Amino acid sequence: MTSPASSATGAADLPDYAPIPPSALGVALNDQGYYVGRVERNLYWVTDGTYQAAFLTTRDGVVLFDAPPTIGGNLRRAIDEMAAANGVTNRVTHLVYSHHHDDHSGAASLFDGDVVHIGHEETRRLLLRDNSPARPAPDVTFADRYTLEVGGERVELAWHGPNHSPDNIYIHFPDHDTLMFIDVVNAGWVPIYNLNLSDDVIGYVTAPSIVLDYPWTHFISGHLGRLATREDVAVHQAYIADIQASSKAALASVDPTPFYMKYGAAGNSWGFVQGYLDAVTERAAAPIIAKYTGVLAAADIEIYTRTTTFAIMQSLRLDSGPSGPVHP
C-alpha cells in the first residue's frame, strides 16, 4: 500500500503556510468536538472551531440562533449542558435564521415540535424555493425590523440591505452587549474566496460600518473559534480598504494593449479579458498579501486575497464605473 506521504496527493506534496497568528486561534474543544461558553448572563455561544451558533435561555424556553450542520447534535448537548447548570428549561421554543444558507441552518430540523422559526421575508422565499426538509421556512418574517420578546428577554433583528446574501440580518442583544452578524468579518482571518462567497460586493464592503454603529462588546461572526472584537472589525475594514485602493491603482496602471495585441486582434476576446484582468488582479493583490501575512490568518493563501481582490476590482469597474472609455 502506498503511504499518503509518498502518493501523488500526499501530505508531502501539499503546500506549507505561514504560522497562524496567535490572535486568530480559537478556544479548545471538548471530547465531543464543541465548545459552549457564556457571552453574557444567559446568552451563550457554541463553536466547533469552524462554525458558530448562539442561544438564549429564558424562563419560557430557549431561543436558538442558527443551526450549522457541522455542529449539529452538539447544539442540543450544549443547550442541555447550560440549561442543567443554570436550572432552566432546555426546551427550544424559537429558532432565528441569520440567513438562508444551509451551512448555517442545515441542522434546523433537529429542533422540531412547536418551534417557531423566525427570519427575514427573503429567507422565507428562498427556503421555500430551495424546498429543503432540513430547513423549515420561517413562520414569522419581517421586512426591516423585528423585536423578539421571549421570557422577559429582548432581541432586535434588522435588515439593512443585501451583503453576504440577500437576506443576511443583524441580530442585536441590547441587554447582553452583543451583536451577531454572519459571514462578513472573520475574527483574525481573511475572508475566503470572493469576500466569503458573498452576493453583493458593495453591501459586503459597507456592512462593517453598520456593525460598528451598533453598541456592543461581543461579536458573534458565525465562523472560527473565538468571539470577535471591535478591533477585529477595524482590521477587516483596513484589509478591504487596502484592496480597494490597490485595485484602483492597478486599474489605472496596467496597460491592456499587450493583451489586446496578443489575443484581441486575433479574435480571441476572452483570451484578452483573462490576460488583462488577471494582470490587474495580480498587481492589486500582491502588496495586500505581503502586508497582511502574519497579521490575518490565511493571508498567505493567495487564492483568497486574489479572488476577493478580483471581486472588488470588478465592482469598482462595473458598479462604480467607468468600466472603460466610451466609443466615439
Side-chain angles (χ1 to χ4, degrees), residues 140-160:
V140 176
T141 64
F142 63 97
D144 296 318
R145 295 182 182 273
Y146 181 79
T147 299
L148 174 62
E149 295 181 322
V150 178
E153 302 293 343
R154 174 172 60 101
V155 184
E156 300 289 346
L157 312 179
W159 181 79
H160 296 295

Side-chain angles (χ1 to χ4, degrees), residues 75-236:
L75 287 171
R76 178 78 271 170
R77 296 179 186 95
I79 290 169
D80 291 349
E81 178 184 343
M82 292 299 103
N86 293 281
V88 296
T89 179
N90 65 350
R91 183 171 66 93
V92 175
T93 59
H94 297 74
L95 195 162
V96 176
Y97 292 123
S98 65
H99 63 302
H100 73 286
H101 286 163
D102 183 90
D103 63 328
H104 291 275
S105 60
S109 61
L110 296 180
F111 303 90
D112 52 11
D114 296 327
V115 176
V116 177
H117 297 83
I118 302 169
H120 190 261
E121 60 187 18
E122 184 69 358
T123 301
R124 176 175 172 81
R125 186 190 72 80
L126 291 167
L127 289 181
L128 289 173
R129 178 202 66 182
D130 297 343
N131 193 28
S132 169
R135 297 172 287 159
D139 312 290
V140 176
T141 64
F142 63 97
D144 296 318
R145 295 182 182 273
Y146 181 79
T147 299
L148 174 62
E149 295 181 322
V150 178
E153 302 293 343
R154 174 172 60 101
V155 184
E156 300 289 346
L157 312 179
W159 181 79
H160 296 295
N163 44 78
H164 167 68
S165 68
D167 57 327
N168 201 26
I169 63 171
Y170 300 72
I171 303 170
H172 187 217
F173 303 89
D175 300 322
H176 297 80
D177 200 16
T178 299
L179 184 71
M180 181 173 182
F181 180 61
I182 305 302
D183 278 344
V184 172
V185 177
N186 300 332
W189 295 71
V190 298
I192 63 166
Y193 306 94
N194 298 306
L195 306 100
N196 280 342
L197 306 176
S198 295
D199 288 347
D200 190 298
V201 173
I202 292 178
Y204 176 96
V205 168
T206 57
S209 294
I210 299 173
V211 165
L212 291 175
D213 283 341
Y214 279 88
W216 56 269
T217 299
H218 316 290
F219 185 55
I220 302 168
S221 67
H223 280 287
L224 302 163
R226 69 170 175 85
L227 298 175
T229 66
R230 300 185 79 89
E231 176 63 19
D232 289 319
V233 179
V235 173
H236 170 90

Side-chain angles (χ1 to χ4, degrees), residues 256-318:
T257 305
F259 306 99
Y260 177 77
M261 296 300 295
K262 173 72 174 179
Y263 303 111
N268 189 349
S269 296
W270 280 179
F272 160 64
V273 169
Q274 180 193 18
Y276 172 61
L277 293 183
D278 281 0
V280 173
T281 302
E282 173 65 25
R283 182 172 296 184
I288 310 304
I289 293 167
K291 178 176 180 178
Y292 285 91
T293 294
V295 177
L296 290 174
D300 61 312
I301 303 178
E302 296 183 357
I303 191 66
Y304 292 156
T305 294
R306 283 177 177 168
T307 56
T308 287
T309 299
F310 179 83
I312 289 174
M313 179 266 292
Q314 288 296 81
S315 177
L316 289 171
R317 291 179 60 247
L318 303 177

